[in-house]
């Protein structure tokens, strides 16, 4: 009897399995369809178009900026303008405590200016050697010999004798150096 009961249970399970498998087969048969083409997503072109527009606007703005700033490139300073600028940088040394440093800096600026402007060796000679060679070599500098001699001897006095100058004396030295550079400077370039 047990065997019959077990057989019935097994039959019920199989029929139930067959029913559920059949319905699954039926559902899968309805589910299989042909392949469809790609779906167009609305607005998929908006983001790339906005980015491309922003890139074009940025490139145009950069081109306009470059065109406007092309002509404002700073021009190169002339030798005399460079010397005047370096003389101005010696101004903070115009104190009695730093008179020696001021004399060294001012003398160096003028000697370098003379070398660059007139192609004369000025930095590797003493003041006397330089002034003696000046009489023989360069007419443009020979005209300013007295002013140059006074300036360089005053600087030497401060540098080597250790003399202290008043601020007014240092101001006078700076004015004479500026005057020398302005008088001997090259003509402005148009």
């Amino acid at each position: 009897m047990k065997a019959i009961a077990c057989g019935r249970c097994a039959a019920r399970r199989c029929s139930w399995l067959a029913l559920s498998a059949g319905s699954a087969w039926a559902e899968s048969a309805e589910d299989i369809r042909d392949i469809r083409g790609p779906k167009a997503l609305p607005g998929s072109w908006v983001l790339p178009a906005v980015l491309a527009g922003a890139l074009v606007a940025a490139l145009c703005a950069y081109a306009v900026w470059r065109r406007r700033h092309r002509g404002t490139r700073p021009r190169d300073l002339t030798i005399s303008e460079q010397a005047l600028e370096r003389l101005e940088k010696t101004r903070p040394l115009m104190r009695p405590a730093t008179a020696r440093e001021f004399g060294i800096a001012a003398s160096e600026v003028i000697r370098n200016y003379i070398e660059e402007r007139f192609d004369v060796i000025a930095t590797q000679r003493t003041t006397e050697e330089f002034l003696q060679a000046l009489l023989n070599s360069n007419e443009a500098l020979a005209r300013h010999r007295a002013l140059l001699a006074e300036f360089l001897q005053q600087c030497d006095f401060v540098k080597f004798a250790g003399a202290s100058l008043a601020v007014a004396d240092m101001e006078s030295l700076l004015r004479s150096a500026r005057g020398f550079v302005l008088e001997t400077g090259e003509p402005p370039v148009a």
Side-chain angles (χ1 to χ4, degrees), residues 6 17 29 48 105 121 123 160 168 171 180:
C6 280
L17 243 173
I121 296 174
T123 57
F160 300 119
E171 192 68 51
F180 171 73

Side-chain angles (χ1 to χ4, degrees), residues 70-130:
R70 184 180 303 155
T72 60
R73 189 173 66 211
R75 67 175 180 82
D76 293 334
L77 297 177
T78 62
I79 295 170
S80 57
E81 289 170 337
Q82 291 173 6
L84 292 172
E85 199 172 271
R86 286 183 288 202
L87 279 172
E88 282 302 310
K89 289 179 183 176
T90 64
R91 223 174 245 291
L93 298 173
M94 292 176 60
R95 298 187 316 258
T98 58
R100 183 173 188 274
E101 289 81 9
F102 171 75
I104 292 170
S107 175
E108 185 178 311
V109 168
I110 293 301
R111 286 176 180 263
N112 285 332
Y113 166 73
I114 291 170
E115 278 191 357
E116 291 175 15
R117 173 74 173 95
F118 299 102
D119 198 29
V120 174
I121 296 174
T123 57
Q124 298 174 2
R125 294 181 178 172
T126 65
T127 300
E128 294 304 319
E129 289 173 342
F130 169 67

Side-chain angles (χ1 to χ4, degrees), residues 134-181:
L134 183 67
L135 289 174
N136 303 329
S137 65
N138 195 314
E139 292 177 24
L141 280 175
R143 283 185 263 145
H144 301 284
R145 185 183 191 283
L147 175 67
L148 203 52
E150 181 184 339
F151 172 79
L152 292 175
Q153 287 168 351
Q154 190 71 23
C155 287
D156 286 349
F157 184 65
V158 172
K159 288 189 313 190
F160 300 119
S164 180
L165 293 177
V167 175
D169 294 332
M170 288 185 268
E171 192 68 51
S172 173
L173 269 177
L174 189 65
R175 270 196 309 272
S176 67
R178 286 180 53 82
F180 171 73
V181 171

Side-chain angles (χ1 to χ4, degrees), residues 1-12:
M1 192 108 167
K2 276 189 171 183
I4 296 175
C6 280
R8 285 186 190 161
C9 264
R12 274 190 221 147

